[in-house]
Amino acid sequence: MQENRTKELGTRPIGSLLVKYAVPAVIAMTATSLYNIIDRVFIGRIPDVGTLSLSGLAVTFPIINLGAAFGAMVGVGAATMISIKLGQKDQKSAERVLGNLVTLNIIIGTLVGLLGLAFIDPLLIFFGASDNTISYARDYMTIILWGNVINHSYLGLNSALRSTGHPYGAMSATVVGVTVNAILDPIFIFYLGLGIKGAAYATVLAQALTLIYVIFVMSNPKDIIHLHRGIYGLRKQIVKNILSIGMSPFCMQLCACLVVILINKGLTKHGGDIAIAAYGIVNSITFLFIMAVMGICQGMQPIAGYNFGAQQPDRVNEVLRKAILFATVTMCFSFIICEFFPQYPIMMFTDDTQLADMTARGMKIIVLMSPVVGFQIVTANFFQSIGMAKKSIFISVSRQLVFLCPFLLIFPNYWGTDGVWISITTADGISTLLAAVLLWQFYYNKDKIRKPRIRMKSTLLRTFFHNRLTP
């Protein structure tokens, strides 16, 4: 039963527990990234307009990220709260958080979708669409925005599903959605002749089916945390806490929008539409590995949150170390593939030699810091998982605003298109150093810890030294 599943978060060995939660989360997050990858693979094969369609699709990234920012703010914030409340044995409050998650997703998802539709052309132009690509971007984004509330609700409930002890249910939902999308894409794009619109219809329909499945799983009355009447009324304190904790992923996604604007403008100025298409392919491939690391973080989140709430610092410490190890291995694999064998993933997207060469060059530069990026991502998510939103926000926002944006304004003036790629990898390296400093302070700088938290963090410190010094 669900009670036993949540209790194991505080008793089962961390290694096997992290594998249990991280593996399905990695599969789910990787599958999520496949939504857009599948779209791009088929769109790139549309006769005569494949490259322009890829450029148009790349321009939609910041708008999709903007919508995802609101969804992540609610979904991640609520999932973290649920984990902490379950660790505190407060099932009633955890269930209220679940209900508020549903209501907020419906309200915010609808508003974001309608506002996006109202200003779609100005947004696309602002984010880098040209006269050649805006029609393709508009065709795709209009349909995606109409289905925005579906996407928000699915992502939010899927996060909650994982936090309430259903990691494999969350994984299954995502895999089903990706599978349906992969089946519908060629039918809608080629057989029905809908082109880029067909990719958007396939994505929205796949997400709708996945949402229905998640609602079904979370409505099981046998689970102590499930969907039922009486939990959907918004409560001021719950909403405040959800938005506060979820502010970190929100800021990260919001900053990503600004970053993509600068990337698109730099690439358009120095490389034109083909450079935008190259960035779209690079982003798709590298994002696949980043999403795998995010899956590890999602597997870590309920374990860290539960044990932090249950005041078991040794377990919090251990899950952090193991998550960093798994993430580093994943990103080292990304480095090997993208640095030494870039032609193989690129050939899935295009047969255009010029586009393929530009994509390979950009990807080789971007992944130079991949081996250490996993550490930075896990650290930011760790602080978020234990409710320390300010540290998480600082790491996320610094990488985008303090480092990357200035680099994007300066480097392309000296190195053209290469300057864009160099900006990204340089920001990754510096933000990783920042994350390391903040994590060091968390363990070592006891003087700045307020009294209510001294015992918790002192124990974490002793546990850290014990684990470092014990063979």
Side-chain angles (χ1 to χ4, degrees), residues 188-306:
F188 285 5
I189 293 173
F190 300 113
Y191 183 74
L192 297 180
L194 294 175
I196 196 169
K197 289 183 179 179
Y201 282 125
T203 297
V204 173
L205 286 174
Q207 290 173 346
L209 290 174
T210 308
L211 175 61
I212 293 171
Y213 172 79
V214 173
I215 291 173
F216 174 77
V217 173
M218 296 212 69
S219 300
N220 185 357
K222 294 181 180 179
D223 287 342
I224 54 175
I225 305 297
H226 63 277
L227 297 172
H228 62 84
R229 291 181 181 179
I231 64 172
Y232 303 106
L234 294 178
R235 300 199 175 199
K236 182 178 179 180
Q237 192 58 44
I238 291 177
V239 172
K240 181 180 177 181
N241 289 337
I242 288 175
L243 299 183
S244 175
I245 295 173
M247 190 58 64
S248 172
F250 174 79
C251 290
M252 184 170 62
Q253 294 278 13
L254 198 62
C255 290
C257 296
L258 175 60
V259 166
V260 173
I261 294 172
L262 296 178
I263 289 174
N264 285 348
K265 289 186 180 300
L267 292 175
T268 300
K269 179 180 179 180
H270 298 284
D273 289 333
I274 191 171
I276 297 286
Y279 171 67
I281 297 174
V282 170
N283 189 62
S284 296
I285 296 168
T286 56
F287 195 59
L288 185 65
F289 294 98
I290 295 294
M291 291 297 275
V293 173
M294 292 302 296
I296 294 171
C297 293
Q298 287 193 358
M300 173 189 69
Q301 180 266 319
I303 304 169
Y306 182 98

Side-chain angles (χ1 to χ4, degrees), residues 65-142:
N65 284 339
L66 186 60
F70 289 96
M73 179 170 59
V74 177
V76 175
T80 301
M81 278 192 68
I82 289 171
S83 295
I84 294 174
K85 293 298 181 183
L86 289 174
Q88 295 170 342
K89 313 300 181 187
D90 190 357
Q91 287 89 359
K92 188 174 182 180
S93 293
E95 202 163 56
R96 290 198 190 104
V97 174
L98 176 62
N100 278 237
L101 164 66
V102 174
T103 305
L104 284 172
N105 271 327
I106 293 173
I107 294 172
I108 296 177
T110 301
L111 288 175
V112 170
L114 292 176
L115 285 172
L117 288 167
F119 300 99
I120 187 166
D121 275 12
L123 283 171
L124 291 172
I125 293 171
F126 181 69
F127 288 131
S130 67
D131 292 339
N132 295 325
T133 61
I134 190 170
S135 61
Y136 301 106
R138 185 195 304 115
D139 286 346
Y140 184 83
M141 204 63 230
T142 299

Side-chain angles (χ1 to χ4, degrees), residues 181-421:
N181 189 35
I183 294 171
L184 293 180
D185 256 344
I187 296 174
F188 285 5
I189 293 173
F190 300 113
Y191 183 74
L192 297 180
L194 294 175
I196 196 169
K197 289 183 179 179
Y201 282 125
T203 297
V204 173
L205 286 174
Q207 290 173 346
L209 290 174
T210 308
L211 175 61
I212 293 171
Y213 172 79
V214 173
I215 291 173
F216 174 77
V217 173
M218 296 212 69
S219 300
N220 185 357
K222 294 181 180 179
D223 287 342
I224 54 175
I225 305 297
H226 63 277
L227 297 172
H228 62 84
R229 291 181 181 179
I231 64 172
Y232 303 106
L234 294 178
R235 300 199 175 199
K236 182 178 179 180
Q237 192 58 44
I238 291 177
V239 172
K240 181 180 177 181
N241 289 337
I242 288 175
L243 299 183
S244 175
I245 295 173
M247 190 58 64
S248 172
F250 174 79
C251 290
M252 184 170 62
Q253 294 278 13
L254 198 62
C255 290
C257 296
L258 175 60
V259 166
V260 173
I261 294 172
L262 296 178
I263 289 174
N264 285 348
K265 289 186 180 300
L267 292 175
T268 300
K269 179 180 179 180
H270 298 284
D273 289 333
I274 191 171
I276 297 286
Y279 171 67
I281 297 174
V282 170
N283 189 62
S284 296
I285 296 168
T286 56
F287 195 59
L288 185 65
F289 294 98
I290 295 294
M291 291 297 275
V293 173
M294 292 302 296
I296 294 171
C297 293
Q298 287 193 358
M300 173 189 69
Q301 180 266 319
I303 304 169
Y306 182 98
N307 286 284
F308 189 80
Q311 296 192 11
Q312 298 192 73
D314 54 334
R315 294 177 63 80
V316 176
N317 198 33
E318 187 178 355
V319 75
L320 171 62
R321 292 200 318 273
K322 284 184 165 59
I324 289 173
L325 174 62
F326 293 166
T328 301
V329 171
T330 300
M331 293 309 294
C332 285
F333 182 69
S334 164
F335 174 80
I336 293 170
I337 294 294
C338 297
E339 189 68 32
F340 299 107
F341 310 102
Q343 66 274 17
Y344 295 110
I346 292 172
M347 65 189 298
M348 295 189 302
F349 295 87
T350 183
D351 294 324
D352 187 317
T353 303
Q354 184 183 1
L355 176 58
D357 290 342
M358 183 177 290
T359 303
R361 182 174 179 82
M363 189 156 59
K364 286 183 177 183
I365 297 173
I366 282 179
V367 300
L368 288 174
M369 287 294 169
S370 287
V372 298
V373 166
F375 169 83
Q376 184 261 334
I377 296 172
V378 171
T379 301
N381 280 270
F382 169 72
F383 286 126
Q384 177 185 293
S385 298
I386 60 176
M388 295 184 177
K390 290 182 180 179
K391 290 182 182 293
S392 182
I393 292 171
F394 184 65
I395 294 173
S396 303
V397 172
S398 295
R399 188 259 178 189
Q400 309 278 21
L401 291 184
V402 180
F403 307 131
L404 184 51
C405 286
F407 294 159
L408 287 169
L409 292 173
I410 299 170
F411 290 178
N413 294 326
Y414 295 95
W415 298 295
T417 302
D418 283 351
V420 175
W421 314 130

Side-chain angles (χ1 to χ4, degrees), residues 109 146-155 204-209 211:
W146 277 115
N148 190 66
V149 67
I150 296 173
N151 186 40
H152 273 221
S153 299
Y154 150 65
L155 292 176
V204 173
L205 286 174
Q207 290 173 346
L209 290 174
L211 175 61

